[in-house]
Amino acid sequence: QAYRNKTPPPRSWTVFVVSILRRIRTSTSPDLNEYIDGIADRRDSNNRATVEMTCPLEVNMEPDEPKFTFSPESPYATFHLEIFESWVASDLEEWLAANIARPATAGVLRNLMEDYHGAAVTHYDGNPEALSLMVLTILELWIALDMSAIRLCTLFEDYDPEVPLTLLENLNLPLKRQMERLKEVEKYLENRSSRSRFHSCGVLCTVDDTNCFPVRYFDQSEEHQYLFRKITDKATRDREAKLVEFREKKRQYEDVIERSSCLSHDYRRYLHPTNGLQVEAHSARCYKCGMQSQANDITIEVYELPLSDDESRAKSTVFALRAPLSFGNWRDSTVFLLSDVLRSTYEDKRSPRASHTLNDPEVSLQKYFSRFRQTQRIALLSEDCPHKGSRRKIANVVSETEDEICVKNGLLFRYHDRQTNSFSRNFQPTQDLARLCTYTIPGGREPSPFQQFVHRPAEAPSGPPPNKVLATQSTCPSGLAMEEYKALATLPLDNKIQWQNMLVQLASPSVDFKTEATVLVALQCILQAGPCGDDGDVRRSSHTILADGQFAGTLLNSLQEALERVEKNWQSFPALGLFVTIARRLFSLTPAGTMQARSLEFLSSCRLTARKWIDDLEEELQIATDESVRDNLRSKAVNVALVCADTFSVEDVQLRDILAVPEEACTLIQCAIVANEGLHCTPETPLTSIMIIR
């Protein structure tokens, strides 16, 4: 009553409680007895305790220089990643508008890309959904970097970054907003490519073409032209000084030779040790020979011109000495995107046989070189050795001409990737990203026979040919009926009819929806973005049919019937989780209206079913005495709670409406508590890990 009236309890109530506690005094716990006796001596106080609330999810997104901080050991690691992903999705555009013209912006975005990728690629390992969102997030960061670079230097717009858009077909994106973001990324890159005049090699790997970026930038840069004149003017002076030195040493040589020519060789007489006869021999200390030797020892250090005699190479070299900050970060970030994020590889990954860079002491341009940052990834490197560091460093004045003393530059600079230790060349897409974004079907020691059917790269968006199912019947796992094997293997074949295949199995199942393999195969069909449609619809060609109201209604009816078949058995939680994912996908991609409302109603029904299962499991947990049985029940409760929480994974607008209902908010909190309390005894499976991140 005191709680309802929001008043403190009466003093008589405290006395009553103390009297009850004193009845349970025990001789075995004197500390407890002392505590109970002390309760009666307490006095009322008007002092209020001050509680300082702290939030472990601190976000360091400064207006000028946002930073990504991450600790893999933190219990909030996943939330830190998701907070950053949310910032990119909602606030990056506004931040870019305020900072697009700042020279440091490209470096800030590059740091965010690399730091976030380093944390996410490890933390999300084995999770195709989270890794897909990681790729999408980094692409949006790169686009912001690209826009800033173009604002600072319009030359960037002439070069196609050649990001392979087909690789993005393998991303698994559950929400419509994520699909819309993917469409915006593709649209930007397509427009960027259509406006370009040159290939990416002109900015990433070419140094000897008049149309490459360094040469064109040099032609309009007064700073680099001044540096070029400074280097060449000094080279002219140094060459003249070297020629003066050469002529002087040659005169010295000729003078010594001339003086020695006037002399005769020195001989000495001695008795032969064998026959005792007097013998005359050339003296080892012959003065004439000494002078000739002195003349031959007159040498000169070869002078090497600092720049190539090829005009384009010379301009590219001077450009690299003082590469603009925005260019360096753009180039390194583009290589990082193509190589590390999208997993493309160089056409030729041969390592250089030798390494001579602009920063080496034997390279005469070292004093002019300035890194745009310490972690510069792409830089000029020559396999050929400069004359200063070779056997040709010292020359004999008698046998050389002026052209042999003042030689052309011997370095052949090319762009080198320090990360891969190979020269920067054209990139070739691989299927590594497709594999990364494909669910791993559990198959024991050997790969699951179903893995080949869910692997649907851009080259084969419909998967293997249908006869592959018949050809691989011998690989059917033991304990699985042949009919179920064929039905499950056929499910992802042909991305344009995958939803019809799903409907058939929901209405008349030949597969067991309670197995993890079935769930993962179905998830690949449901969530993979797939190829773009000809009409530019955000649903893309793989999910266009969800816009059909009649099909969507039939699918929902089949889902409802499937739910009724499993709602009495909590051991069917994998099937319930799959039904929830289908309904969420249908809600996201079906047009607003009746179908969306029905989808939300179905998710609510799934939520009620899961809540009942949690209550049933907690009742069984209360009466269980064997610890192994209790751990198993806790594990099952965690999986059911994760499924229940997944019913809230809808678009942000709808989520706010759902959580505005107190009972629904309490359900979500209850799921979090159950999952947190039992997570330590829950076996980690591919599906469980995915559900936890969700």
Side-chain angles (χ1 to χ4, degrees):
Q1 183 66 34
Y3 170 76
R4 290 176 179 174
N5 296 334
K6 298 183 178 180
T7 59
R11 181 69 180 171
S12 59
W13 173 254
T14 304
V15 174
F16 172 72
V17 171
V18 172
S19 66
I20 296 297
L21 291 175
R22 280 175 172 167
R23 294 179 188 178
I24 60 173
R25 288 169 61 89
T26 170
S27 60
T28 60
S29 182
D31 291 339
L32 176 61
N33 296 336
E34 183 181 352
Y35 178 79
I36 293 174
D37 292 338
I39 294 177
D41 298 330
R42 293 178 183 176
R43 298 291 181 264
D44 294 335
S45 174
N46 293 325
N47 296 330
R48 295 183 177 273
T50 302
V51 180
E52 294 184 3
M53 305 298 291
T54 60
C55 177
L57 303 179
E58 296 180 359
V59 184
N60 188 14
M61 292 301 173
E62 299 294 336
D64 293 334
E65 189 172 347
K67 296 180 180 179
F68 174 77
T69 55
F70 180 78
S71 174
E73 295 80 16
S74 170
Y76 306 103
T78 300
F79 298 102
H80 280 292
L81 289 169
E82 293 184 356
I83 286 175
F84 178 76
E85 290 157 0
S86 177
W87 179 84
V88 172
S90 59
D91 298 334
L92 176 60
E93 185 176 355
E94 180 181 351
W95 179 87
L96 180 64
N99 296 274
I100 191 169
R102 294 178 62 236
T105 293
V108 171
L109 292 170
R110 174 190 174 180
N111 290 336
L112 292 177
M113 286 174 61
E114 295 179 352
D115 294 344
Y116 167 69
H117 177 266
V121 76
T122 302
H123 190 76
Y124 290 155
D125 184 37
N127 190 328
E129 297 174 20
L131 289 171
S132 297
L133 183 57
M134 176 199 76
V135 173
L136 180 61
T137 301
I138 293 176
L139 279 167
E140 290 177 323
L141 287 170
W142 181 87
I143 287 175
L145 188 155
D146 185 61
M147 294 171 68
S148 175
I150 291 175
R151 173 65 67 88
L152 294 171
C153 178
T154 57
L155 285 180
F156 282 108
E157 202 165 19
D158 292 339
Y159 297 88
D160 186 356
E162 296 182 3
V163 177
L165 294 178
T166 54
L167 294 180
L168 308 184
E169 297 176 8
N170 285 93
L171 301 187
N172 294 284
L173 303 173
L175 300 177
K176 182 178 182 180
R177 178 57 193 143
Q178 295 171 347
M179 299 281 281
E180 291 171 343
R181 290 165 60 192
L182 175 60
K183 188 65 183 175
E184 291 167 3
V185 166
E186 291 175 327
K187 182 178 179 181
Y188 178 88
L189 293 173
E190 287 171 352
N191 291 338
R192 182 79 161 74
S193 180
S194 65
R195 297 194 307 268
S196 64
R197 298 167 52 198
F198 308 107
H199 293 293
S200 62
C201 60
V203 68
L204 297 180
C205 52
T206 304
V207 296
D208 57 354
D209 191 319
T210 56
N211 289 323
C212 68
F213 184 95
V215 173
R216 295 180 65 211
Y217 189 94
F218 176 94
D219 290 338
Q220 69 175 27
S221 170
E222 294 183 0
E223 176 189 359
H224 288 87
Q225 292 171 14
Y226 171 77
L227 181 59
F228 179 84
R229 290 193 299 270
K230 183 178 179 181
I231 294 172
T232 53
D233 289 348
K234 185 178 185 303
T236 300
R237 294 193 301 271
D238 291 346
R239 184 177 185 277
E240 291 298 327
K242 180 61 65 174
L243 291 176
V244 169
E245 179 188 359
F246 173 68
R247 293 163 188 155
E248 175 61 24
K249 288 193 173 184
K250 194 156 189 176
R251 187 194 61 77
Q252 293 176 7
Y253 173 84
E254 293 171 349
D255 181 61
V256 173
I257 292 298
E258 183 180 356
R259 285 190 289 118
S260 69
S261 65
C262 299
L263 301 175
S264 299
H265 290 286
D266 295 333
Y267 292 90
R268 69 183 180 87
R269 295 179 182 273
Y270 67 96
L271 294 177
H272 195 280
T274 304
N275 54 28
L277 298 177
Q278 193 174 39
V279 179
E280 186 177 63
H282 187 265
S283 174
R285 298 182 180 180
C286 176
Y287 188 68
K288 179 181 179 71
C289 292
M291 293 191 68
Q292 290 176 342
S293 178
Q294 179 185 350
N296 291 331
D297 287 342
I298 298 176
T299 59
I300 186 170
E301 185 173 342
V302 172
Y303 175 73
E304 181 178 15
L305 293 173
L307 296 173
S308 171
D309 58 346
D310 182 286
E311 183 180 5
S312 295
R313 284 188 174 276
K315 290 180 178 179
S316 294
T317 303
V318 174
F319 172 84
L321 292 172
R322 302 283 174 84
L325 188 63
S326 59
F327 169 82
N329 285 308
W330 182 93
R331 181 182 57 192
D332 282 6
S333 298
T334 302
V335 172
F336 173 77
L337 174 69
L338 296 172
S339 176
D340 296 56
V341 180
L342 300 181
R343 306 297 179 96
S344 298
T345 61
Y346 291 117
E347 290 180 343
D348 181 7
K349 294 187 287 186
R350 179 182 60 85
S351 298
R353 66 178 183 273
S355 176
H356 304 282
T357 67
L358 293 173
N359 200 35
D360 290 349
E362 66 267 17
V363 177
S364 58
L365 295 173
Q366 182 192 26
K367 61 183 176 182
Y368 301 107
F369 178 64
S370 175
R371 290 182 182 273
F372 64 87
R373 62 184 292 162
Q374 290 301 315
T375 55
Q376 181 174 338
R377 175 168 181 167
I378 304 296
L380 289 182
L381 179 144
S382 173
E383 292 180 298
D384 298 332
C385 182
H387 290 282
K388 188 176 180 180
S390 70
R391 297 177 182 177
R392 286 277 301 154
K393 176 181 179 181
I394 305 298
N396 193 300
V397 295
V398 66
S399 60
E400 305 294 341
T401 64
E402 291 187 354
D403 288 339
E404 291 171 321
I405 295 300
C406 297
V407 298
K408 296 180 180 179
N409 186 272
L411 296 167
L412 190 65
F413 282 120
R414 298 158 65 188
Y415 282 126
H416 172 258
D417 188 339
R418 295 172 59 192
Q419 190 82 13
T420 62
N421 191 27
S422 59
F423 287 110
S424 179
R425 294 180 174 87
N426 289 330
F427 280 96
Q428 290 293 327
T430 67
Q431 292 190 8
D432 290 352
L433 182 64
R435 296 187 185 94
L436 202 68
C437 296
T438 300
Y439 296 91
T440 302
I441 314 300
R445 296 181 179 178
E446 299 294 329
S448 170
F450 298 109
Q451 194 67 45
Q452 59 188 317
F453 297 105
V454 296
H455 179 62
R456 302 183 296 178
E459 297 81 4
S462 295
N467 59 5
K468 188 76 171 179
V469 178
L470 299 177
T472 58
Q473 291 183 88
S474 60
T475 63
C476 176
S478 58
L480 189 68
M482 185 59 67
E483 194 65 28
E484 183 176 357
Y485 171 80
K486 291 190 288 186
L488 187 55
T490 305
L491 193 62
L493 297 186
D494 196 342
N495 63 302
K496 294 184 179 180
I497 62 170
Q498 60 184 6
W499 280 103
Q500 290 89 326
N501 295 339
M502 189 76 65
L503 178 58
V504 169
Q505 292 302 321
L506 287 171
S508 180
S510 300
V511 299
D512 185 1
F513 287 116
K514 297 193 299 294
T515 65
E516 188 169 10
T518 301
V519 173
L520 292 173
V521 170
L523 288 180
Q524 192 68 46
C525 301
I526 297 168
L527 301 181
Q528 183 175 342
C532 291
D534 296 333
D535 56 357
D537 189 354
V538 71
R539 299 174 185 84
R540 310 169 82 87
S541 60
S542 298
H543 311 287
T544 303
I545 195 170
L546 296 183
D548 187 318
Q550 184 176 357
F551 178 84
T554 305
L555 184 62
L556 273 172
N557 293 336
S558 297
L559 279 174
Q560 188 62 48
E561 294 172 2
L563 175 61
E564 292 171 359
R565 290 196 295 267
V566 303
E567 63 182 354
K568 302 297 183 182
N569 181 9
W570 56 260
Q571 294 184 357
S572 299
F573 67 85
L576 181 63
L578 177 59
F579 301 157
V580 168
T581 305
I582 295 174
R584 289 197 296 112
R585 190 61 156 172
L586 185 60
F587 169 78
S588 287
L589 298 184
T590 195
T594 305
M595 288 302 108
Q596 280 199 344
R598 287 187 58 191
S599 299
L600 286 177
E601 290 175 5
F602 178 78
L603 288 173
S604 179
S605 300
C606 292
R607 195 176 303 128
L608 291 173
T609 300
R611 285 177 58 183
K612 183 179 182 305
W613 287 356
I614 293 174
D615 293 340
D616 293 344
L617 285 166
E618 288 184 342
E619 288 180 7
E620 293 188 31
L621 188 61
Q622 293 298 324
I623 61 177
T625 56
D626 185 88
E627 194 59 33
S628 62
V629 174
R630 292 174 61 83
D631 285 347
N632 183 58
L633 290 171
R634 288 193 188 97
S635 173
K636 302 301 182 186
V638 168
N639 283 284
V640 175
L642 292 174
V643 171
C644 187
D646 198 34
T647 62
F648 294 93
S649 299
V650 294
E651 307 289 342
D652 289 347
V653 175
Q654 287 73 26
L655 179 60
R656 292 189 186 95
D657 294 338
I658 294 173
L659 294 181
V661 180
E663 291 79 5
E664 303 291 14
C666 288
T667 298
L668 181 58
I669 295 173
Q670 180 188 9
C671 292
I673 293 173
V674 171
N676 187 64
E677 289 180 343
L679 204 56
H680 67 281
C681 57
T682 303
E684 185 173 346
T685 66
L687 186 57
T688 302
S689 301
I690 291 170
M691 296 296 290
I692 291 172
I693 295 294
R694 284 186 186 177

